[in-house]
Amino acid sequence: MTMQLVCSIEEMRKVSHTLKQAYQRIGLVPTMGALHEGHLSLIRLAKQHADIVIASIYVNPTQFGPHEDFDQYPRDFERDKNLCQQEGVDIVFSPDSREVYKDLHTVYVIETCITEILEGAVRPDFFQGVLTVVTKLFNMVGPDIAVFGQKDAQQLCAIKQLVENLNFPIKIIEGPIIREPDGLALSSRNVYLSEQERKDALCLCQSLDLAKRLYVDNERSAKGIKQAVSDFVGLVPSAKLDYVEIVDGETFQSAHEVGSTAMIVLAVYIGSTRLIDNAFFRR
Ligand code: AMP
C-alpha cells in the first residue's frame, strides 16, 4: 500500500471509519515532526501492535509558552514524509492548524495531579496543550492503540491517566528512550546545540549514570542523589540545572526514598536549549 497523506479532519474520520469497518486495528504515533530514530522506533513498535499505522505530524501551538520555541521549532515536512514512507507508515495525518484550533477554542483538558510538578511547574501551559491535542487527535483518528516515548516520562504518565480517567478505548504502548551512541537522548531540539554544547549535553545522561551508580552502591536518599547530580551538572560551564527529581515511575509523585519503581528525571539548559532526560533505577 502506498502511503496516504491526510490533512483534513473530515477525511481522517472517513478513512478511519472505512478501516474500522474492515476490522483493521489502527495504531497512532503522534509527533511534532522533525523525525529522528526515536520517533521511528515508535513507528516500528506501532507496526507490531496494529494493522495500519498512522503517524501524525503536527506542531501543536498550545503546548508552547509565549517565550518558547514554537516559531523556531525545526520543521521539514518533505523529509518527515520520506522517513515515514521508508518505515512503512500507512497514513501521515497532518492537520491544518486553522482546523485544529478554530477561532473560538475554549475547552481544554487539564490533569490536576501528575502535571502539577516538574515540567508542569516550569512550563505552565505545556500539559494542558499536550493533553488537549492528544485528546483531539484521539477523537479525529480513533486509534485502537497509541504509542508514546518514555523520553517524555511525565507526559507519558499524564497520557495514561487521561486515557484511564476519560475512558478512551485506546491502549497506550510505551517505547524506550533511543539514544545516540554516546548516550545523548535523541530530541528534535538537539539541532539547536553548537559543537561544544553537544559535548556538554552529555552531562544529562552522565548524571543519570551517576545516580544509578550511587543507587547500586546502596544510596537510597533522594536528597543525596539529587545533590550529587546537581554538583555534577554544576561543573559543566554551559549547563544550568532546571530541576532534578526522584519520582515514583507509576504515580510521578516525588519520593524521599529511592524505591523499586523510582525514576530520576531532570531538565537542564545547555546554553539556551532546554533538554530533558530520565531513567529508572531498576531497569
Ligand atoms: P515529539 O515530536 O517531540 O512531540 O515526540 C513525539 C513522540 O516521540 C513522543 O511520544 C516522545 O516521547 C517520543 N520521543 C521523542 N524522543 C524520543 C527518543 N529519544 N526515544 C524514544 N521516543 C522519543
Side-chain angles (χ1 to χ4, degrees), residues 30-32 36 38-39 42 73 148-149 151-152 176-178 186:
T31 82
M32 297 207 297
H36 51 63
H39 299 113
L42 303 184
Y73 197 82
F148 294 88
K151 162 79 179 5
D152 300 276
I177 302 177
I178 304 299
L186 295 188

Side-chain angles (χ1 to χ4, degrees), residues 7 12 23 34 92 95 113 155 182 201 204 221 225 258 262 268:
C7 296
M12 186 65 254
Y23 298 103
V92 167
C113 180
Q155 169 178 295
D182 62 5
L204 281 97
S221 151
I225 293 177
V258 186
V268 180

Side-chain angles (χ1 to χ4, degrees), residues 111-122:
E111 193 282 335
T112 57
C113 180
I114 295 158
T115 59
E116 296 284 277
I117 58 169
L118 306 173
E119 290 297 294
V122 185

Side-chain angles (χ1 to χ4, degrees), residues 24 73 76 96 128 165 188 212 216 219 222 232:
Q24 295 291 289
Y73 197 82
D76 190 343
D96 185 325
Q128 171 178 311
N165 284 182
S188 303
K212 289 209 266 192
V216 169
E219 174 65 273
F232 179 75

Side-chain angles (χ1 to χ4, degrees), residues 25-28 45-53 90 144-145:
R25 201 168 153 77
I26 301 174
L28 173 66
L45 203 50
K47 284 176 78 76
Q48 289 172 23
H49 290 87
D51 303 309
I52 296 290
V53 172
D90 299 288
D144 298 283
I145 65 136

Side-chain angles (χ1 to χ4, degrees), residues 106-171:
T106 54
V107 178
Y108 290 88
V109 179
I110 296 169
E111 193 282 335
T112 57
C113 180
I114 295 158
T115 59
E116 296 284 277
I117 58 169
L118 306 173
E119 290 297 294
V122 185
R123 307 177 68 192
D125 302 322
F126 177 68
F127 283 115
Q128 171 178 311
V130 168
L131 296 180
T132 301
V133 83
V134 167
T135 299
K136 285 160 88 56
L137 289 169
F138 284 173
N139 285 332
M140 293 168 195
V141 174
D144 298 283
I145 65 136
V147 189
F148 294 88
Q150 184 63 46
K151 162 79 179 5
D152 300 276
Q154 193 177 7
Q155 169 178 295
L156 173 62
C157 193
I159 289 169
K160 283 187 192 163
Q161 188 77 357
L162 166 78
V163 164
E164 171 72 24
N165 284 182
L166 297 191
N167 310 97
F168 281 104
I170 298 170
K171 183 169 181 219

Side-chain angles (χ1 to χ4, degrees), residues 23-259:
Y23 298 103
Q24 295 291 289
R25 201 168 153 77
I26 301 174
L28 173 66
V29 183
T31 82
M32 297 207 297
L35 300 183
H36 51 63
E37 270 298 316
H39 299 113
L40 303 185
S41 73
L42 303 184
I43 289 170
R44 288 171 206 142
L45 203 50
K47 284 176 78 76
Q48 289 172 23
H49 290 87
D51 303 309
I52 296 290
V53 172
I54 302 180
S56 65
I57 298 181
Y58 179 64
V59 185
N60 173 37
T62 63
Q63 71 189 67
F64 289 80
H67 304 294
E68 292 186 359
D69 56 343
F70 176 70
D71 289 332
Q72 296 96 295
Y73 197 82
R75 292 166 171 89
D76 190 343
F77 191 56
E78 284 308 311
R79 179 179 169 278
D80 289 344
K81 262 194 320 189
N82 286 333
L83 286 170
C84 285
Q85 175 99 53
Q86 281 166 28
E87 286 303 328
V89 166
D90 299 288
I91 298 167
V92 167
F93 178 43
S94 179
D96 185 325
S97 216
R98 285 163 301 192
E99 240 204 313
V100 179
Y101 293 104
K102 299 251 174 71
D103 288 345
L104 192 62
H105 198 282
T106 54
V107 178
Y108 290 88
V109 179
I110 296 169
E111 193 282 335
T112 57
C113 180
I114 295 158
T115 59
E116 296 284 277
I117 58 169
L118 306 173
E119 290 297 294
V122 185
R123 307 177 68 192
D125 302 322
F126 177 68
F127 283 115
Q128 171 178 311
V130 168
L131 296 180
T132 301
V133 83
V134 167
T135 299
K136 285 160 88 56
L137 289 169
F138 284 173
N139 285 332
M140 293 168 195
V141 174
D144 298 283
I145 65 136
V147 189
F148 294 88
Q150 184 63 46
K151 162 79 179 5
D152 300 276
Q154 193 177 7
Q155 169 178 295
L156 173 62
C157 193
I159 289 169
K160 283 187 192 163
Q161 188 77 357
L162 166 78
V163 164
E164 171 72 24
N165 284 182
L166 297 191
N167 310 97
F168 281 104
I170 298 170
K171 183 169 181 219
I172 301 299
I173 291 169
E174 42 191 280
I177 302 177
I178 304 299
R179 299 178 178 279
E180 298 281 8
D182 62 5
L184 180 70
L186 295 188
S187 163
S188 303
R189 291 189 166 100
N190 290 350
V191 296
Y192 298 150
L193 301 170
S194 69
E195 209 175 308
Q196 183 58 47
E197 287 171 344
R198 169 65 184 77
K199 289 181 188 144
D200 292 350
L202 288 178
C203 73
L204 281 97
C205 60
Q206 287 168 350
S207 294
L208 303 179
D209 290 342
L210 169 65
K212 289 209 266 192
R213 275 204 308 279
L214 291 169
Y215 179 80
V216 169
D217 290 343
N218 284 321
E219 174 65 273
R220 292 292 181 272
S221 151
K223 199 170 166 208
I225 293 177
K226 287 193 293 187
Q227 188 60 53
V229 165
S230 173
D231 293 344
F232 179 75
V233 173
L235 298 173
V236 181
S238 72
K240 188 174 153 290
L241 186 67
D242 198 11
Y243 64 70
V244 56
E245 195 53 83
I246 291 172
V247 297
D248 181 87
E250 278 152 26
T251 62
F252 238 85
Q253 298 309 293
S254 298
H256 296 296
E257 287 278 300
V258 186

